Every structure is written in C-alpha cells, then in structure tokens.
Amino acid sequence: MQAKWFWLGLMCLEISSLAQAAVELPKSTEHLLVEMVPMRDGVKLFTTIEVPQQGKKYPVLLLRNLYRRRTEQIAESQDIAGRNFIAIHQDVRGSGRSEGVWHAFLQERNDGEDCLEWIAKQPWCDGRVFMHRGCYCGCTPFL
C-alpha cells in the first residue's frame, strides 16, 4: 500500500541544536510510551514515543535510528515534546532493541511505510509526520 498522503507531509530537517545541554534521563514515564511496532513480516521494532500530553493529537517528529541511543537524543525528545510535537525514536530492524537482522537499506522502504501506517492509526497523531536527521537516519525517509 502506498502512503502518498503521508509523504506529502514529509519534511527532513536537522534539529540537533535542540539538545545542546546535558540532561538527565527522565524520572517520570507519564508521557513516555514504549512499543514494539509490528512490521508486515512479523518482526517488531523497538519504538519510544514522547507525548506532550495524553488525550490530545499532535504532529509527529520521527527518527528511525540505526545507532545506539544517547542522552542527547532523550533530551531532544523531551524538548520536541515541549514544543507540542510527538517525538518518536525507532530502532531500525536488527539494531538496538529491535528484532530482526539489519541489512543496509534493504528493508527500510517497507519498514518505514509500516511505521508510518502504524503512526497514522494512533489516537495521538494528527496526521502530520516529519522525519529528521542526517547520515543513515536521514536516508531512511527517501527509500
């Protein structure tokens, strides 16, 4: 299935400057959701969702990540959520806490589409999804 309407709202941007200061891990998980998002072949991808406030709909800023998560990314997610966006970090197949085997770029198109379709069905998504980052993470939206 093609998600054309989703790709219209797709925009790549670099926001690394949002997490300039060192911030501790969150002490509360009130707005942090953890999901194992299923892909079409049954593999599940580890996904964290930082929601500004439960019960409302927001645009989503998605990062599909090959690399190990760092404290700066957690701080960045909290900052994004503070700006009325939902911040989603997903470990790509075979990386981090996700299942499966990683093959460079091979599965990114299908996994990315499955992820976007999953996000669209969530009660906290307002229908707008943006992706960000450079390097491998920045390439995944274009596959």
Side-chain angles (χ1 to χ4, degrees), residues 28-83:
S28 169
T29 58
E30 180 181 353
H31 302 294
L32 181 66
L33 310 173
V34 177
E35 296 279 345
M36 291 298 288
V37 177
M39 300 293 104
R40 63 187 71 185
D41 63 357
V43 170
K44 295 178 184 167
L45 304 185
F46 181 78
T47 307
T48 58
I49 304 113
E50 186 83 35
V51 181
Q53 184 178 352
Q54 296 284 351
K56 292 187 176 184
K57 293 183 179 227
Y58 298 95
V60 172
L61 193 55
L62 171 64
L63 170 65
R64 300 194 65 248
N65 193 11
L66 169 66
Y67 310 108
R68 189 173 61 115
R69 293 172 194 235
R70 298 182 308 271
T71 304
E72 304 90 57
Q73 290 173 320
I74 295 167
E76 181 180 80
S77 292
Q78 291 173 328
D79 190 41
I80 290 166
R83 296 172 191 263

Side-chain angles (χ1 to χ4, degrees), residues 13-21 70 72 76 132-133:
L13 55 126
E14 181 62 49
I15 60 168
S16 61
S17 62
L18 292 177
Q20 294 176 357
R70 298 182 308 271
E72 304 90 57
E76 181 180 80
H132 70 104
R133 274 290 181 229

Side-chain angles (χ1 to χ4, degrees), residues 81-98:
R83 296 172 191 263
N84 290 321
F85 276 83
I86 291 174
I88 297 181
H89 285 247
Q90 183 177 66
D91 293 344
V92 299
R93 181 184 296 252
S95 73
R97 297 182 197 165
S98 286

